[in-house]
Amino acid sequence: MIDIKKLANNANLIQEMRENIAARGVEADVDETLLAYEKMLTSQRELEVMRAASNQNAKNTKNVSQENRPQIISKGKELKRKIAKLVEEETTLKDIFEKAALKLPNWMSPDVSIGNDDEDNKIIRRFSSPTKFDFEPKDHLELGKSLDLLDFESGAKVAGSKFYFLKNEAVLLQHAIKSYAFRKAIEKGFTPLHTPDVARNSVMEGIGFAPRGNESNTYTLEGEDLSLVATSEIAVGGMHSNDVFDIEDLPLLYVAESHCFRREAGTAGRASKGLYRVHQFEKIELFAFSTPSQSEKVLENIRALEEEIYQDLGLPYQLVLNCSGDLGNPAYKKYDIEAWMPGKDENGGYGEVTSASNCLSYQSRRLNVRYKNPETGRNEHVHTLNGTAVALSRTPVAIMENYQTKEGGIRIPEVLVPYTGFEEIKPRQSKKYKLKLSSPR
């Protein structure tokens, strides 16, 4: 949530928000929100006046004569009736305002370009060239089937379409990627976490996910005020709701693992096949709480760590700065890393594997996360930032497709070999294949 009071008192900011909403293509109405805000404030002022009158009337009963006492008591009852009605009206108006305000997007960084979707994102730089083969490469689904690594048929039998089983070396590869990413982040000062897989709907809304309505991408738990998390960003942000940090504790850096659950409705097609877009996956998320003066540097540090991870993995990628239409509501500024995936389209293509966002105080206002500012002597809202260390569905896709061999196997990136215990996933010689590991290093 943005600072509504500051917005309401600045005509230039109101116009800027109108343009911001149009540029992002989100469903929000700043004028409707401000009208609801003014109605709520008017109701609150009327309520304060009525309560003051009620308090004064109560005091008058102590000094009034017995003859006038019934009149004062009657007036008190009438004031209480009016107060009860005003409280009900104020509650309704506050709810209307908050629902409208929650739809308003964050402010947008000046260097963000105007565009509709990821096709309009600005390419900052590329690392390595797309992988070339002297044979006809397979996509990860073909590799997963021939090497007995992926089983979507059984996943659908158990849970429905877009669910899957990992098998054999793919399980160990996923664990290796996780262990490697945690080590890299811990070396940079991030505290490791494993988060709950559910969160209260108020926390979901505070981070910027909508757990209800047609726009929801989350799974809600029937009969509970809970939803399955779509990213550990939700749980880590909620972890410090209503907390006040000392400035010496900031920036506070976390690297968190969680399962992620997303409906992903309406995303069928070749570009979303297989592991690229599924309903459940694991992700290692980077999350930071910082002072406003620190957040720009923290964002660049998160972005640099993400790039370092994918460079170490030897995966070709491009770094993009997201355009306005690909920011979502919470982000002020957002980078994506898109890894080269030979099987993504007919001739290969880049696919998003990480993001890194600065959300300023948009989330912390909603979750009431603050820090003690020694310069002002007040508790002020922190800035929150998030980024993906590795998504454990798409990163294996990129590894499988880029590291495949002519013989039909998959080499393991050198940095992961100490974690996997093997250097290559070799072609199967028989249907009775059993996984064997070398001795731990």
Side-chain angles (χ1 to χ4, degrees), residues 9 34-53 86 90 93:
N9 294 321
L34 292 176
L35 179 60
Y37 178 60
E38 185 54 43
K39 287 182 177 179
M40 180 191 70
L41 292 181
T42 299
S43 177
Q44 289 175 345
R45 287 192 288 267
E46 290 176 357
L47 188 55
E48 288 175 5
V49 170
M50 198 65 66
R51 280 174 171 159
L86 281 174
E90 192 270 341
L93 291 171

Side-chain angles (χ1 to χ4, degrees), residues 118-119 133 137-143 267-277 318 337-353 394 397-398 400-402 404:
D118 58 359
E119 295 293 328
F133 301 95
K138 300 175 181 178
D139 64 27
H140 73 280
L141 282 175
E142 296 173 291
L143 290 164
T267 53
R270 181 178 175 85
S272 299
K273 68 181 178 181
L275 288 175
Y276 190 78
R277 198 178 299 278
Q318 62 184 18
I337 289 178
E338 299 174 344
W340 177 256
M341 299 178 184
K344 189 173 188 295
D345 297 312
E346 290 184 5
N347 299 310
Y350 287 99
E352 179 192 338
V353 288
R394 295 182 181 182
V397 168
M400 292 168 69
E401 294 185 353
N402 282 283
Q404 61 182 293

Side-chain angles (χ1 to χ4, degrees), residues 414-430:
E414 186 177 348
V415 294
L416 298 182
V417 172
Y419 300 96
T420 59
F422 51 87
E423 297 180 355
E424 183 178 347
I425 303 174
K426 296 183 178 181
R428 306 309 189 217
Q429 301 303 317
S430 74

Side-chain angles (χ1 to χ4, degrees), residues 219-336:
Y219 290 95
T220 58
L221 302 185
E222 186 175 356
E224 301 285 345
D225 184 29
L226 297 168
S227 296
L228 296 175
V229 299
T231 166
S232 57
E233 171 193 350
I234 295 166
V236 181
M239 182 181 181
H240 289 291
S241 59
N242 299 315
D243 285 355
V244 180
F245 295 115
D246 291 326
I247 195 169
E248 295 81 9
D249 297 330
L250 302 177
L252 181 60
L253 310 175
Y254 288 114
V255 54
E257 176 185 2
S258 77
H259 295 94
C260 304
F261 302 88
R262 303 185 183 188
R263 291 185 180 277
E264 301 289 14
T267 53
R270 181 178 175 85
S272 299
K273 68 181 178 181
L275 288 175
Y276 190 78
R277 198 178 299 278
V278 289
H279 292 313
Q280 178 184 338
F281 58 96
E282 291 183 59
K283 184 153 68 85
I284 310 300
E285 186 80 3
L286 306 167
F287 197 94
F289 299 90
S290 80
T291 66
S293 63
Q294 296 168 334
S295 67
E296 184 176 348
K297 182 179 180 181
V298 172
L299 175 65
E300 294 305 318
N301 288 344
I302 289 175
R303 188 268 312 152
L305 174 56
E306 292 175 347
E307 286 199 73
E308 189 175 327
I309 288 172
Y310 282 87
Q311 288 176 14
D312 287 354
L313 291 173
L315 295 172
Y317 70 80
Q318 62 184 18
L319 176 72
V320 302
L321 179 62
N322 292 46
C323 70
S324 59
D326 200 31
L327 279 180
N329 268 27
Y332 167 76
K333 182 176 181 178
K334 182 178 182 182
Y335 293 108
D336 279 351

Side-chain angles (χ1 to χ4, degrees), residues 115-275:
N116 295 321
D117 52 37
D118 58 359
E119 295 293 328
D120 297 321
N121 290 343
K122 178 182 177 182
I123 299 174
I124 304 298
R125 58 177 162 271
R126 283 179 171 155
F127 170 76
S128 192
S129 300
T131 306
K132 301 295 183 182
F133 301 95
D134 59 0
F135 58 92
E136 186 67 29
K138 300 175 181 178
D139 64 27
H140 73 280
L141 282 175
E142 296 173 291
L143 290 164
K145 185 174 183 179
S146 65
L147 296 172
D148 198 22
L149 303 176
L150 302 174
D151 187 349
F152 276 88
E153 289 78 12
S154 295
K157 185 189 301 183
V158 171
S161 64
K162 305 299 281 184
F163 288 92
Y164 60 96
F165 283 88
L166 284 182
K167 299 177 67 178
N168 295 311
E169 292 97 334
V171 178
L172 302 181
L173 175 60
Q174 175 165 290
H175 281 284
I177 297 169
K178 284 196 291 186
S179 297
Y180 166 74
F182 265 112
R183 178 173 290 277
K184 292 289 291 187
I186 291 169
E187 288 173 350
K188 300 291 186 181
F190 287 77
T191 298
L193 296 173
H194 194 293
T195 73
D197 286 341
V198 298
R200 299 183 189 280
N201 289 331
S202 59
V203 173
M204 303 279 285
E205 291 173 344
I207 286 294
F209 280 78
R212 305 182 188 87
N214 295 329
E215 73 276 18
S216 174
N217 193 28
T218 58
Y219 290 95
T220 58
L221 302 185
E222 186 175 356
E224 301 285 345
D225 184 29
L226 297 168
S227 296
L228 296 175
V229 299
T231 166
S232 57
E233 171 193 350
I234 295 166
V236 181
M239 182 181 181
H240 289 291
S241 59
N242 299 315
D243 285 355
V244 180
F245 295 115
D246 291 326
I247 195 169
E248 295 81 9
D249 297 330
L250 302 177
L252 181 60
L253 310 175
Y254 288 114
V255 54
E257 176 185 2
S258 77
H259 295 94
C260 304
F261 302 88
R262 303 185 183 188
R263 291 185 180 277
E264 301 289 14
T267 53
R270 181 178 175 85
S272 299
K273 68 181 178 181
L275 288 175

Side-chain angles (χ1 to χ4, degrees), residues 72-84:
I72 297 296
I73 293 174
S74 177
K75 182 179 180 181
K77 289 180 179 180
E78 178 63 17
L79 286 170
K80 287 181 179 180
R81 187 188 65 78
K82 290 181 178 179
I83 288 172

